[in-house]
C-alpha cells in the first residue's frame, strides 16, 4: 500500500465513522492504520476503544495488546493478548505478540513456547522465526552451540539457495551500504553515528537503506553524511536492485534478527561483500553474510567456530559510542549523603531471570542496609514487580529494600543513575547501552563474563577501560566483587569522578581512530 493509498484509506475510515458513529470495524481499521503510520497517540485512543467495546474480537484485543507492548507496557499487553489467544489459539500473529510480551515481562520459557507454536503455525514466516532465535539469547542456560544451530536452522528455512556474489567495483573510494530500521535514537544509532560521521570525513561513500518511518535528531545526523534511501514497504528484489545500482562494495546489516531487519535482502547477495555489525548479538546464520564485525572481547579465538560468518575484529571495541548530550554533571556517590549503598540495574525485565535475582539477593544479604533500584520499561507494572519481588523474598530480601521505576526519556533515565552507587549487570544477556550509560555516569559496573556475544558486552567495555577487576567468571566471584566495592567508598567515589573523562579519551568514544581501523578492516575483506 503506497502513501496515497494510506491517505485514501484514512479518509474512507473517517467517512464510515461519521456515517455510523461507534462503527467498531471502521474504528478498528483506522486504529490499525494509525499504528502502521506510527501515529501512536491516535492509534492508542482508537484501539483502546475497540478493545473495550469489541470484547469478542480477537483482532481488536490483539491489536491493542500489540500497541501496549510497543509502548513498553508488556504486562498490560498480556491481558489483552491472552484474551485474543483464547478466541484464536493458533493465530501466528497473536502468538508472536504473546511470545514477545512474555519475554518482556521475563517469562522466557513461556515466551519460547509461544513463539515455537507460532513457528509451527506459520513455518514460512521468517519474522516470527527471527523472534524465536532472538528470544533464545535471554535464556539462562543458552550456549554458543545452541545459538549457532538455531540460527543456521533459520537460514536453511528462509534463505536458501545462496546466489553468487556480484563482481567487485573498480572505483577507489569505499562505497558502504548500511541497512537498518534504527537510524534514530536507539542503541544502534548511539553505536554507529560517530563512526559514520568520521568515515564521511575520510571520503567514504555511505548509503543508508532505511527501513523506518520515525525520524529524529540521530536520523538527521545520519542523513547529513549518508545518501538516504527509504526502503520500508519495498520487497527484497527491489531493494537488492537499488544496492546493485548504487555500486555498493560492502553491504552492512545493522539489525540481525531484531525487528525491522532486512535479512531477506542479504539473502539475495546484492553486494560483493556483506557484513553484520552493531545491531545484533549473535551469528545471523546466513551463508550469504561474509563477515561479523566484532572485537577480541566479544568473540575470542576459541569462539569463532560458533559463527557462520568470518570474524573481523576491531582492535578494541566493535562500536564507537555517542554519549548522551543531556547527561548531567557528576555528583558524589549517594551513599555519602544517605548512609547506605544503593545498587542499581537499568536493564529490561527480560534479562532479570531467577539466577540473576538469586545472585543479587546474596549481595544484598552481604551488604546490610543496602538497597537496589531497578529501572526500565515495564518495571513500573505491578505483575512484573510481583514476579521479581517473589524471587527476592525467596532469597531472604524484603520488598522494602527494592525500588522500581519504568521507562523515561533518555535525559531523565541517565539522571536517575545519580541515585545509584554501583551498577549490577544481568547475565547471560549483559547490558550494552545501559552499561555504557552507567559508566558515563560514573558507576562501576559488576559483570559476569559469559560465552555468548550478548554475555560479553560489559566485559568488552570494562576491558577497554582497564577495569578487569570488575569482571567475574563465577557467581561467587560476582558477589564478592560487588560486596567489596560496597565496603570501599573511596574506590567508588574515585571511579565516579574518573570514569567519564576516561571513557571520553578511550577507544570507546574515539571516532577518528575507530574510522581508520574500520576502513583498514573493510579493505582487508
Amino acid at each position: 500500500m503506497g502513501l496515497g493509498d494510506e491517505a485514501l484509506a484514512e479518509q474512507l475510515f473517517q467517512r464510515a465513522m461519521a456515517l455510523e458513529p461507534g462503527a467498531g470495524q471502521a474504528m478498528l481499521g483506522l486504529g490499525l492504520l494509525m499504528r502502521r503510520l506510527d501515529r501512536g497517540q491516535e492509534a492508542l485512543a482508537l484501539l483502546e476503544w475497540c478493545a473495550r467495546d469489541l470484547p469478542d474480537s480477537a483482532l481488536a484485543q490483539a491489536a491493542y495488546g500489540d500497541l501496549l507492548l510497543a509502548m513498553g507496557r508488556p504486562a498490560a499487553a498480556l491481558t489483552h493478548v491472552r484474551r485474543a489467544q483464547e478466541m484464536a489459539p493458533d493465530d501466528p500473529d497473536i502468538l508472536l505478540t504473546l511470545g514477545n510480551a512474555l519475554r518482556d515481562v521475563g517469562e522466557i520459557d513461556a515466551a519460547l513456547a509461544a513463539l515455537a507454536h507460532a513457528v509451527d503455525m506459520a513455518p514460512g514466516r521468517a519474522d516470527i522465526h527471527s523472534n524465536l532465535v532472538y528470544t533464545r539469547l535471554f535464556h539462562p542456560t543458552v550456549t554458543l552451540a545452541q545459538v549457532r544451530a538455531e540460527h543456521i536452522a533459520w537460514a536453511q528455512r528462509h534463505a536458501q539457495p545462496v546466489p553468487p556474489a556480484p563482481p567487485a567495483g573498480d572505483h577507489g573510494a569505499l562505497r558502504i551500504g548500511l541497512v537498518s530500521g534504527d537510524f534514530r535514537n536507539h542503541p544502534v544509532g548511539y553505536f554507529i553515528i560517530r563512526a559514520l560521521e568520521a568515515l564521511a570525513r575520510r571520503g567514504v561513500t555511505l548509503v543508508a537503506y532505511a527501513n523506518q518511518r520515525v525520524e529524529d535528531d540521530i536520523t538527521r545526523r545520519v542523513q547529513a553524511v549518508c545518501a538516504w534511501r527509504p526502503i520500508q514497504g519495498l520487497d527484497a528484489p527491489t531493494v537488492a536492485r537499488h544496492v546493485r545500482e548504487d555500486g555498493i562494495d560492502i553491504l552492512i546489516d545493522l539489525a540481525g534478527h531484531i525487528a525491522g531487519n532486512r535479512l531477506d535482502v542479504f539473502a539475495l547477495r546484492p553486494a560483493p561483500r556483506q557484513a553484520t555489525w552493531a545491531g545484533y548479538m549473535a551469528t545471523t546464520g546466513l551463508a550469504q553474510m561474509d563477515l561479523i564485525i566484532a572485537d577480541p572481547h566479544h568473540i575470542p579465538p576459541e569462539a569463532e567456530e560458533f559463527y557462520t560468518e568470518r570474524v573481523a575484529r576491531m582492535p578494541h571495541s566493535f562500536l564507537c559510542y555517542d554519549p548522551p548530550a543531556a547527561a548531567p554533571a557528576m555528583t558524589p556517590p549517594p551513599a555519602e549523603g544517605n548512609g547506605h549503598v544503593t545498587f542499581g540495574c537499568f536493564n529490561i525485565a527480560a534479562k532479570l531471570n531467577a539466577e540473576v535475582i538469586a545472585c543479587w539477593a546474596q549481595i544484598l544479604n552481604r551488604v546490610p542496609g543496602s538497597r537496589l533500584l531497578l529501572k526500565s520499561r515495564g518495571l513500573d507494572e505491578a505483575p512484573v514487580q510481583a514476579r521479581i519481588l517473589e524471587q527476592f523474598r525467596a532469597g531472604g530480601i524484603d520488598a522494602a529494600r527494592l525500588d522500581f521505576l519504568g521507562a523515561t526519556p533518555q535525559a531523565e533515565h541517565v539522571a536517575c543513575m545519580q541515585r545509584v552507587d554501583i551498577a549490577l549487570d544481568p547475565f547471560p544477556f549483559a547490558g550494552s547501552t545501559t552499561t555504557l550509560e552507567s559508566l558515563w555516569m560514573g558507576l562501576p559496573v559488576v559483570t559476569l563474563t559469559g560465552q555468548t556475544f550478548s554475555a560479553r558486552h560489559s566485559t568488552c567495555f570494562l576491558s577497554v577501560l582497564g577495569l578487569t577487576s570488575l569482571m567475574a567468571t563465577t557467581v561467587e566471584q560476582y558477589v564478592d566483587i560487588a560486596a567489596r566495592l560496597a565496603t570501599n567508598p573511596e574506590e567508588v567515589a574515585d571511579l565516579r569522578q574518573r570514569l567519564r573523562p576516561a571513557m571520553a579519551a578511550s577507544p570507546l568514544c574515539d571516532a577518528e581512530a575507530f574510522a581508520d581501523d574500520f576502513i583498514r578492516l573493510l579493505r582487508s575483506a
Side-chain angles (χ1 to χ4, degrees), residues 303-314:
E304 287 188 14
E305 65 179 294
F306 298 104
Y307 294 81
T308 58
E309 307 86 358
R310 181 162 65 87
V311 179
R313 292 184 180 85
M314 294 290 287

Side-chain angles (χ1 to χ4, degrees), residues 312-342:
R313 292 184 180 85
M314 294 290 287
H316 305 289
S317 170
F318 78 119
L319 58 82
C320 183
Y321 180 51
D322 190 55
M330 291 294 98
T331 57
E336 292 185 7
N338 59 31
H340 65 263
V341 170
T342 302

Side-chain angles (χ1 to χ4, degrees), residues 191-200 206 277 319-320 511 514-515 518:
F191 295 166
I192 67 169
I193 185 57
R194 285 193 172 193
L196 298 187
E197 291 168 341
L199 289 168
L206 301 168
W277 170 50
L319 58 82
C320 183
F514 187 95
F518 199 75

Side-chain angles (χ1 to χ4, degrees), residues 18-215:
L19 291 172
E20 187 183 347
Q25 293 305 315
M27 191 169 289
L28 179 56
L30 183 59
L32 291 169
L33 179 62
M34 295 299 98
R35 174 71 198 285
R36 176 173 174 171
L37 296 176
D38 290 313
R39 289 160 59 176
Q41 289 306 309
E42 294 170 87
L44 179 63
L46 291 162
L47 294 178
E48 183 178 18
W49 184 96
C50 292
R52 184 181 62 250
D53 282 37
L54 301 173
D56 297 324
S57 168
L59 179 58
Q61 300 304 318
Y64 184 49
D66 189 58
L67 179 58
L68 290 172
L69 179 61
M71 296 175 65
R73 298 171 59 191
L78 275 175
T79 299
H80 296 277
V81 180
R82 282 177 166 144
R83 192 176 300 159
Q85 198 212 3
E86 290 174 1
M87 293 180 273
D90 296 325
D91 184 289
D93 287 302
I94 293 173
L95 289 164
L96 172 61
T97 304
L98 175 63
N100 288 340
L102 287 165
R103 180 190 65 224
D104 285 3
V105 300
E107 297 182 25
I108 304 303
D109 285 319
L112 289 169
L115 292 168
H117 186 183
V119 169
D120 288 342
M121 293 299 100
R125 287 278 297 277
D127 60 324
I128 294 176
H129 201 170
S130 281
N131 277 273
L132 175 62
V133 299
Y134 168 61
T135 299
R136 176 68 64 187
L137 302 178
F138 292 88
H139 200 278
T141 65
V142 67
T143 67
L144 269 172
Q146 187 178 44
V147 171
R148 183 181 190 275
E150 294 196 359
H151 284 72
I152 288 176
W154 180 95
Q156 289 174 338
R157 178 175 291 187
H158 304 291
Q160 296 294 322
V162 181
D170 57 2
H171 39 74
L174 270 176
R175 298 180 64 84
I176 299 175
L178 304 117
V179 184
S180 179
D182 296 315
F183 296 113
R184 55 189 177 90
N185 283 301
H186 180 276
V188 169
Y190 309 145
F191 295 166
I192 67 169
I193 185 57
R194 285 193 172 193
L196 298 187
E197 291 168 341
L199 289 168
R201 289 192 289 271
R202 283 152 176 75
V204 175
T205 298
L206 301 168
V207 182
Y209 299 95
N211 193 36
Q212 65 187 72
R213 290 185 187 272
V214 175
E215 297 188 7

